[in-house]
Amino acid sequence: MDAFILGIESSCDDTSAAVLCNHRLLSNVIAGQEVHAQYGGVVPELASRAHQQNIVPVVDAALKKAGIGAKDLNAVAFTRGPGLLGSLLVGVSFAKSFAYSLHLPLVEVDHLHGHILSHFIFREGCEQPHFPFLCLLVSGGHTQIVKVSSPSEMQVVGSTIDDAAGEAFDKAAKILGYPYPGGPVIDRLSKIGDENRFKFAKPSIPGFDYSFSGLKTSFLYTVRDEVAKNPNFITENVNDLAASLQKTIIDILFNKLEKAVKQTGIRRVAISGGVSANSGLRNRMLLAAEKKKWEVYIPKISYTTDNAAMIALVGYYMYLKGKVSTLSVVPQARINFMDL
Ligand code: KG4
Ligand code: ZN
């Protein structure tokens, strides 16, 4: 029998609702929040207020677009964490009252689990990864290499010890005077820049862990020192600065990813999370498929940044397993990976 799952995502600055019929996406509605751009990052209090305004119309639009009524749903899946507590609270409270009023099962989902399993939303002509595979999860809050053994068994192989890759993009863009989120801006500028023009610090930490705070400082000092000599330095060199920064971030990501492939012997590699929208990273994956014979999985752009489709997909798996939550469930800003 078909299962219709409503997914709700509100962990950061996007309010999203999606409807899936089994693996197939029927709708995925996202309301972004322009309000943060001027502050250079997400302002938690403004985010939760915007979620409150958006949540009802977004869920309503997702159901209408899917062409089903609330009574046709089989379960309601929502992001329990990790994320901003005030933002999560809006989605969790809505999901609980919505499910309660319709007598529907409620399914809590780990946001990172959603990013990883976004590869399993049905796409015409696209194969889903076989298990096990490695997933490079790169977002604004997380940077991890995860060994994925089944839809519910995952193990973190390496993780960032300070900033996430997305934060490195966002902070560098802020230094150059661009609004949040900086990743898409750096990506766009990079396309016409010389990626070998500037050299920035790369970390040398053991194992599979990442670090991006040294790169941020090195970028900041380079810009600061050059601007002191020439006030027009940024405008005259912005494309080369962006391209060199992007290449450095991708080199850092790939250094550990290649090590993890060697160590585990797993050549099936996926990327997910907001930074997986980056054109340089996507190209580097295609290059690895060609030169290193990796089997690579690159998500559809609309499944890279935060979306409820991926939450509904995890919800679908959990629902099939009978893993439902009670009404006493509360949001959790920090979650040890896959604790849910
Ligand atoms: O997964 P996501 O939407 O939210 C979190 O769970 O954190 O990721 C947001 C991050 C931001 O840091 C944003 O700058 C980055 O993804 N991002 C990009 C690109 N598009 C979004 N970074 C690099 N290149 C892009 N094209
Ligand atoms: Zn995310």
Side-chain angles (χ1 to χ4, degrees):
M1 206 185 78
D2 286 337
F4 290 91
I5 313 289
L6 171 70
I8 294 173
E9 155 63 34
S10 72
S11 65
C12 191
D13 60 337
D14 291 314
T15 320
S16 178
V19 179
L20 281 189
C21 175
N22 307 332
H23 289 91
R24 199 177 280 273
L25 186 69
L26 301 183
S27 65
N28 185 32
V29 177
I30 303 174
Q33 301 182 359
E34 298 287 314
V35 66
H36 308 287
Q38 57 184 308
Y39 299 103
V42 178
V43 183
E45 180 56 29
L46 296 178
S48 50
R49 278 190 223 166
H51 283 305
Q52 279 181 323
Q53 286 176 351
N54 294 340
I55 189 96
V56 173
V58 163
V59 170
D60 190 46
L63 288 170
K64 284 206 174 96
K65 212 163 165 216
I68 65 164
K71 289 205 161 57
D72 300 318
L73 290 169
N74 294 87
V76 179
F78 64 95
T79 303
R80 183 176 172 200
L84 301 170
L85 199 57
S87 293
L88 290 166
L89 196 57
V90 178
V92 174
S93 309
F94 180 89
K96 278 174 22 173
S97 42
F98 192 76
Y100 179 69
S101 65
L102 291 159
H103 307 288
L104 289 170
L106 192 58
V107 185
E108 66 196 77
V109 173
D110 180 322
H111 179 83
L112 303 183
H113 197 178
H115 274 304
I116 293 169
L117 292 197
S118 60
H119 289 277
F120 293 86
I121 302 167
F122 176 78
R123 282 169 73 188
E124 199 74 56
C126 280
E127 256 195 61
Q128 299 173 342
H130 288 277
F131 298 103
F133 66 93
L134 293 178
C135 184
L136 175 69
L137 169 59
V138 269
S139 72
H142 295 84
T143 300
Q144 296 178 330
I145 299 173
V146 182
K147 181 182 165 194
V148 188
S149 307
S150 80
S152 57
E153 288 165 277
M154 308 185 186
Q155 185 194 350
V156 177
V157 176
S159 208
T160 181
I161 58 166
D162 41 55
D163 289 351
E167 262 178 296
F169 275 105
D170 295 335
K171 287 178 177 173
K174 192 176 175 187
I175 292 166
L176 297 178
Y178 289 96
Y180 175 87
V185 181
I186 299 284
D187 195 352
R188 182 168 47 78
L189 297 171
S190 291
K191 291 193 173 127
I192 44 168
D194 174 0
E195 62 178 21
N196 296 312
R197 171 88 188 286
F198 298 101
K199 298 277 173 264
F200 302 117
K202 287 182 187 167
S204 55
I205 49 168
F208 301 103
D209 287 340
Y210 286 112
S211 166
F212 288 97
S213 67
L215 167 62
K216 177 197 65 190
T217 311
S218 151
F219 185 80
L220 175 68
Y221 287 179
T222 303
V223 173
R224 186 196 62 186
D225 295 349
E226 294 298 328
V227 167
K229 290 184 250 167
N230 168 16
N232 297 324
F233 173 76
I234 293 181
T235 20
E236 287 168 9
N237 298 283
V238 72
N239 300 323
D240 295 347
L241 282 165
S244 304
L245 173 92
Q246 182 167 298
K247 178 179 185 292
T248 312
I249 293 176
I250 297 169
D251 284 349
I252 294 171
L253 290 172
F254 255 71
N255 178 291
K256 296 297 169 87
L257 192 57
E258 281 169 7
K259 264 194 191 172
V261 169
K262 270 200 195 113
Q263 168 106 355
T264 59
I266 300 171
R267 310 181 74 77
R268 242 174 260 130
V269 187
I271 51 172
S272 60
V275 179
S276 68
N278 185 267
S279 58
L281 179 59
R282 294 166 84 90
N283 286 337
R284 191 73 76 88
M285 286 291 282
L286 294 175
L287 205 64
E290 193 191 315
K291 297 261 185 308
K292 298 175 194 295
K293 305 292 170 227
W294 289 5
E295 209 179 283
V296 302
Y297 296 89
I298 299 170
K300 194 174 164 183
I301 291 283
S302 55
Y303 301 153
T304 57
T305 45
D306 291 346
N307 65 86
M310 66 188 195
I311 303 303
L313 193 279
V314 178
Y316 170 60
Y317 282 122
M318 298 288 187
Y319 169 74
L320 291 185
K321 282 183 134 192
K323 277 195 86 178
V324 296
S325 313
T326 66
L327 283 175
S328 60
V329 66
V330 288
Q332 218 173 312
R334 288 175 185 278
I335 300 182
N336 281 330
F337 193 70
M338 294 286 301
D339 263 1
L340 299 187

